[in-house]
Amino acid sequence: MPTVSTAQQWTHNPEDPQSSQPRTPKMPAKKPTTDKMKKQKAHMTEPDQRYTWLANILDADRNPPGHPDYDPRTIYIPPLAWTQFSAFEKQYWEIKQKYWDTIVFFKKGKFYELYENDATVGHQLFDLKLTDRVNMRMVGAPEASLDHWANQFVAKGFKIARVDQMESALAKEMRERGGTSTDKSGKASKVDKVIRRELASVLTAGTLVDGGMLQDDMSTYCVAIKEMDIDNLPTFGIAFVDTATAQFYLTDFVDDVDMTKFETFVAQTRPGELLLEK
């Protein structure tokens, strides 16, 4: 069967002999395909291209970096962004917004996964393979190697947050069949469509207690320092603890102008982490 009507294909004009030739049917022009028309994978784009609020970072109180009250531990996520998150993204950002300066290891089945900026750090420092999870870039490591990778990040000066699953996949299915759940206030709420997860621990260079994560047999101290000026001389109040052995010390002293005592203290204890006044 002809694909074009013969009434359109054949015409006759006595004054124009060429008109008896078949007319070329007009085909609709194809739209050019471009890369922009295809949605790029998350790990092929920068996080601030998918989450516009990452382009201008603010802390939870909406202070920009450089502001005297800026808190690098938190990040502001606008209300509109929450309405566009998937259930899994919402669960992740509820935790990550409070630990912005911390590498968050997020439990997913038999793996711990790092997302977005954390994934970029893992890829750049340790060549972990970038891939996707929902709308986020991701790197992952088996749960059996958590101590190894946490140690690697801590050795580079990062803080580590571990988020664990609080229920099994079977428990999640049974919960969904129930239809409702309760929030912290005890009120009924819609069933979460993702496995429940909670922050389990935060690890820093000065607060390691697991023997498998300690760098060596030497004590690693977390040190809190209070400095004042008394009679034009530096005066220090110091508390330091070895969390692996629970040894805790307190001291205070008036130093000389060259801070000889303080330098001696630092040389002897080799603090793994310092806590200072803002």
Side-chain angles (χ1 to χ4, degrees), residues 107-158:
K107 184 74 177 294
K108 181 75 174 175
K110 294 294 184 181
F111 286 82
Y112 279 95
E113 297 178 347
L114 280 62
Y115 304 110
E116 295 301 0
N117 294 51
D118 295 350
T120 302
V121 173
H123 176 66
Q124 293 177 346
L125 288 183
F126 306 112
D127 201 28
L128 295 173
K129 184 180 179 181
L130 272 178
T131 182
D132 296 350
R133 172 75 68 194
V134 193
N135 188 39
M136 301 184 289
R137 60 169 53 180
M138 177 202 83
V139 300
E143 63 176 337
S145 62
L146 172 65
D147 287 354
H148 167 76
W149 287 111
N151 221 352
Q152 296 293 315
F153 280 93
V154 169
K156 293 287 187 180
F158 291 97

Side-chain angles (χ1 to χ4, degrees), residues 188-237:
S189 60
K190 292 183 179 179
V191 174
D192 295 327
K193 297 299 182 182
V194 290
I195 290 177
R196 287 175 177 163
R197 294 176 176 86
E198 292 181 5
L199 180 70
S201 64
V202 176
L203 303 175
T204 63
T207 58
L208 298 179
V209 295
D210 191 335
M213 298 185 66
L214 298 175
Q215 300 290 332
D216 51 45
D217 293 334
M218 298 293 291
S219 296
T220 302
Y221 291 104
C222 181
V223 180
I225 300 173
K226 169 68 176 180
E227 182 179 2
M228 297 180 66
D229 186 84
I230 298 179
D231 297 330
N232 295 322
L233 291 174
T235 304
F236 294 93

Side-chain angles (χ1 to χ4, degrees), residues 57-65 67 69-71:
I57 291 177
L58 304 172
D59 69 9
D61 294 325
R62 305 182 75 169
N63 296 316
H67 189 279
D69 296 325
Y70 175 69
D71 183 358

